[in-house]
Structure formats: structure tokens, C-alpha cells
Amino acid sequence: MTIPTDTLQKNRLPQHIAIIMDGNGRWAKSKGKPRVFGHKKGVSAVREIVEACSEIGISYLTLYAFSTENWNRPQFEVNTLMTLLSTSLRKELKTFQENHVRLNTIGRLESLPEKAQKELREVTQKTKNNTGLTLTLALSYGGREEIVKVIQNISEKVVNNHLRTEEIDEKIINNHLYTFSLPDVDLMIRTSGEKRISNFLLWQLAYAELYFTDTLWPDFGKTDLLGAIINYQQRERRFGKISEQIEENND
Ligand code: IPE
Ligand code: IPE
Ligand code: MG
């Protein structure tokens, strides 16, 4: 399906969209299938959304694929997710190249199985000169853990006299986050009806517009994405100011 992208205001596109892809298990259950069936279908939804973002002209898409807390799931499910990650990366390289997608990752990658780490390194390397969408996969990612790491790294610099305490500001913190090369999130979408952040991008979501939909991730497609962006474009982002100031700026 081609997207009727003319329904979008091209000058007001979110630069960075982040998605909590939730509901794979419930989707499978509703079909009387095992949970991992939902994860497999979830990969197709990822492909559709990556292609749609490229087509619309979104610059950054960040997908929450596996949280630090997800390690606590049954071993079989964790293993299947890790295998699915490796096989999908290899299969999707073609989609990335065709759409000029550059792959990026955030999270405690060293916790992933060696095979998945290797695939990630390879696809990242092969797509590094692509100039289209930057697709960031959050893998073994936790927002609190990210902040702990930032504090550890900054403290070390202070202890070693590479940085003075008074120099620590928001910019320095930003530069130490996994997401140092990404702009702030403009639009955060969560599927499956849950209305929580679940330890995703705690710092980076500070002023994001939040969009929650009951649609389960495997059913989330181009039309749903378009709906979320249209909804985003109808909102007024005030960043603490008042409406009149925003209108003045738009004139
Ligand atoms: C999201 O779907 C995928 C991952 C967290 C890996 P879930 O597996 O959480 O699906 P539900 O929430 O149980 O339906
Ligand atoms: C959040 O989904 C993590 C990912 C989508 C990768 P969960 O399904 O793990 O979140 P909770 O546990 O319901 O909050
Ligand atoms: Mg879930």
C-alpha cells in the first residue's frame, strides 16, 4: 500500500519517533498460538514500519526490542527472541540497503549472545554510510541502567581531573548517553493499550509527545503509523511557554 503522505504536513514531521513494540504475546494468544509466534509476526511489522518511516521521510526511528527486564522471561522465550534477532538481521539487510537505512544500537549489547552481537556489528558496518533513516534498536536496554552508566563514566572523569563538577550540565550528560548521536524523541508510540514507559529512554522522553494505541504490535502497520503522526501534528508543543508565544513563532 502506498501511503497517502499528502495528508501529512511535511514541515511538521516528527524528527525522531520511538516505539515500545508491545503486545506480541497477547496477539499470539488471541489466535491460540504460542507467544513466540507473535514475536515472529512482530518482525514483519518492524519491516513495514521501517519502510513507512523511510517513505514518509522520518530521520530517526528507535525501537524498543528487548529490555533489561525481559531477561527475566522464561528461558525458552528469551532464547527464541535472541535467535530471531540474529536471523532477522541477516534477512533484513536487503531491506535496509534498499531503503538507505543506517542501523544503530543502544543498550547493554555485551549481554547478547555472541552470534547476535556479530550480526549487529556486521549490519551496522555495512549500513554505516547510508544517508536515509537512522534505525536504532534498543536491545538489552534499560533507561535506569543507562543513567547509572552515565554517572559512573562522568564520575571517573571527575576523579581523574578530566572534568570539573561545575562543568557537568545537560549537554555533558547527553553526550554520555547511549543516544549521544540522536536528537530528543518527538513522538513516542506504545502499542497494546499499556500506558507506561517500562524503563524506556527516561531522559530522552522528557518532552516527547506520547501516543498510546490499543492495536497490538503485530497488527500495527503503515496506516496506524500515519494516524499517530497526524495526531502528533494536531498537538501544540509548548515546552513550558504559552500558546500565544507559539503562535507568534509560527507566523
Ligand atoms: C513485546 O511483546 C515484545 C517484547 C517485549 C520482546 P510482549 O512479548 O511483551 O507481548 P505481551 O505484552 O505479552 O502481549
Ligand atoms: C516493554 O514491554 C519492552 C519492550 C517492548 C521491548 P514489556 O511487555 O516487557 O513491558 P511491561 O513489563 O509489560 O511493562
Ligand atoms: Mg508486553
Side-chain angles (χ1 to χ4, degrees), residues 126-166:
K126 285 184 176 148
T127 60
K128 74 170 197 289
N129 294 324
N130 287 349
T131 52
L133 174 75
T134 297
L135 168 66
T136 301
L137 295 182
L139 291 162
S140 190
Y141 174 88
R144 286 188 170 178
E145 188 181 82
E146 180 179 34
I147 293 170
V148 168
K149 275 190 73 163
V150 168
I151 295 173
Q152 287 174 344
N153 290 338
I154 292 182
S155 315
E156 206 169 299
K157 288 185 183 170
V158 172
V159 168
N160 294 323
N161 290 322
H162 295 310
L163 191 69
R164 283 181 291 121
T165 311
E166 346 35 293

Side-chain angles (χ1 to χ4, degrees), residues 10-92:
K10 281 285 176 191
N11 58 343
R12 289 191 63 202
L13 284 177
Q15 192 189 6
H16 186 176
I17 299 179
I19 309 183
I20 302 180
M21 311 183 287
D22 198 13
N24 294 353
R26 277 163 283 168
W27 183 89
K29 199 172 173 201
S30 76
K31 305 220 156 359
K33 305 264 191 192
R35 294 179 54 84
V36 294
F37 184 72
H39 296 316
K40 285 187 186 142
K41 191 72 188 3
V43 176
S44 310
V46 169
R47 186 185 313 123
E48 181 165 336
I49 295 309
V50 167
E51 285 173 347
C53 282
S54 299
E55 191 180 331
I56 294 167
I58 302 297
S59 303
Y60 298 89
L61 172 67
T62 299
L63 299 177
Y64 203 8
F66 195 87
S67 71
T68 43
E69 289 72 27
N70 288 150
W71 290 112
N72 300 321
R73 291 193 177 193
Q75 196 57 48
F76 173 72
E77 180 164 342
V78 171
N79 291 347
T80 312
L81 280 166
M82 291 303 143
T83 310
L84 200 57
L85 171 64
S86 303
T87 50
S88 313
L89 278 167
R90 203 161 336 121
K91 275 198 221 141
E92 298 309 324

Side-chain angles (χ1 to χ4, degrees), residues 109-127:
L109 299 186
E110 58 276 20
S111 305
L112 301 173
E114 187 48 50
K115 195 163 159 21
Q117 290 188 45
K118 185 169 162 276
E119 294 293 344
L120 284 168
R121 275 195 301 269
E122 273 179 35
V123 180
T124 306
Q125 173 66 21
K126 285 184 176 148
T127 60

Side-chain angles (χ1 to χ4, degrees), residues 18-22 64 188-191 196-198 200:
I19 309 183
I20 302 180
M21 311 183 287
D22 198 13
Y64 203 8
M188 198 288 288
I189 301 171
R190 182 169 188 151
T191 59
R196 53 179 175 260
I197 302 296
S198 301
F200 190 39

